[in-house]
Amino acid sequence: MRKKKPLQKLPFIVLMFFLILFLAGVISGEPSRVLEQSWQICLSCIGIG
Amino acid sequence: MELARKWVQLVIAMLTNGYWGFPVTKTIYQGPLKVVCSPGLNCYSCPAATTYCPLGALQQLMMTLRFNLENAQYFLGWYVLGCIGVVGAFLGRLVCGWACPFGFFQELLHKIPSRKFAVPRPLRYIKFGLLLFFVFLLPLLVVNDFGLGNPWFCKYICPAGTLEAGLPLLWLQPDLRKTVGLLFYNKLAILVFFMGWSVVASRPFCRVACPLGAFYALFTRVRLVKLQLDQEKCTRCEACHHVCPMGVKFNESPDDFECITCLACMDRACKFDAISLTVGGIPLRAGDVRKPVATKIP
């Protein structure tokens, strides 16, 4: 009979940690900051200018 | 499975670069989707990009961190770190194999008929140095009088940025051509170098120089979705060694940080069902019947 493998908990803990970090970022208004940056062409970032 | 992976790569590349109005507008997409994190390396200054690049956003965070804190703006990058952390904890380097447009581009280049070579294994540690220094430390520590740093990896190295943003923007905005200098030619040389290397070796940029791959590699042992080896079923035939595009000897090191979970070893090499895809340690495809046809990749 095939032995049933146990569910690993550590991946879920790590996932939850980053999910909380993500939500904390959303609550503190960081998405608008990211949006502001990503709407601009960063010429020095691509080696021009 | 390999055909399905190619389709997934193509669809994701099209979705993350889905703004095709740029030849008319002559600029980049500036819509609300730019708040979404691209899972793979995809420059957000690319005219067609609909999402933001996690590496670019990380560097933007590091280079402005001191300035922000000095000006009482507490943007600590939790959103960006949380986004790529969730992706990394869930999928790890599976993203490299299935969702990275630049990885897909290298795979297409590798299909050009030529003599093929292996990538020396010690070179794979370079990407961790690039992640630490060019993405985190140099943008944070080398700052101007205002406390602002530079996006070192994007500015001096990133070949994806040159391909997806630098070259198209020079084509779209002729005025920019006057500002091209040594910095751009240096980046262009890096792009040409990796393109040439991709023809003769499998995914050299991913294996040697991608800091995003290095970041996702940190999750190798704790990621939710991963390949698992059943030691009892493995016969050490080494068939898995010959199909891996990343040079992983899966039966010897099943937790190798280079594994991009492309499933080639499981689907095309192992005849004994010793390799399975697992979620949280639970196999998804145990007992499947497959007809492996091994094709060697150097």
Side-chain angles (χ1 to χ4, degrees), chain B residues 8 34 61 130 138-139 187 197 214 236 245 291:
Chain B
V8 171
K34 269 266 170 87
L61 158 74
L130 289 172
L138 290 171
K187 284 197 65 181
W197 198 2
R236 280 89 177 144
K291 295 173 183 173

Side-chain angles (χ1 to χ4, degrees), chain B residues 2-25:
Chain B
E2 185 59 14
L3 187 64
R5 190 173 72 89
K6 285 280 177 284
W7 273 105
V8 171
Q9 285 176 305
L10 181 66
V11 167
I12 290 179
M14 297 306 280
L15 286 175
T16 51
N17 295 286
Y19 176 64
W20 291 98
F22 70 84
V24 178
T25 62

Side-chain angles (χ1 to χ4, degrees), chain A residues 12-47:
Chain A
F12 291 99
I13 294 168
V14 176
L15 191 64
M16 283 306 293
F17 170 77
F18 282 102
L19 205 56
I20 290 166
L21 209 62
F22 169 78
L23 292 173
V26 172
I27 290 165
S28 62
E30 285 184 13
S32 60
R33 182 79 170 191
V34 169
L35 210 53
E36 201 178 287
Q37 287 170 347
S38 60
W39 279 352
Q40 295 165 6
I41 300 172
C42 177
L43 291 177
S44 69
C45 302
I46 52 177

Side-chain angles (χ1 to χ4, degrees), chain A residues 5 7-8 10-12 15 18-19 21-22 24 30-31 33-35 37-39 41-42 44-49, chain B residues 28 30-31 34-35 45 52 68 76-79 82-83 85-86 151 154-155 169 179 184 187 219 222 224 280 282:
Chain A
K5 297 196 173 174
L7 189 70
Q8 292 170 352
L10 191 59
F12 291 99
L15 191 64
F18 282 102
L19 205 56
L21 209 62
F22 169 78
E30 285 184 13
R33 182 79 170 191
V34 169
L35 210 53
Q37 287 170 347
S38 60
W39 279 352
I41 300 172
C42 177
S44 69
C45 302
I46 52 177
I48 300 174
Chain B
I28 64 172
Q30 292 173 320
K34 269 266 170 87
V35 79
S45 289
Y52 76 85
N68 287 340
L76 302 175
W78 291 348
Y79 176 72
C83 279
V86 166
C154 295
K155 187 173 181 178
L169 284 172
T179 60
F184 184 75
K187 284 197 65 181
F219 295 91
V222 295
L224 205 59
I282 308 293

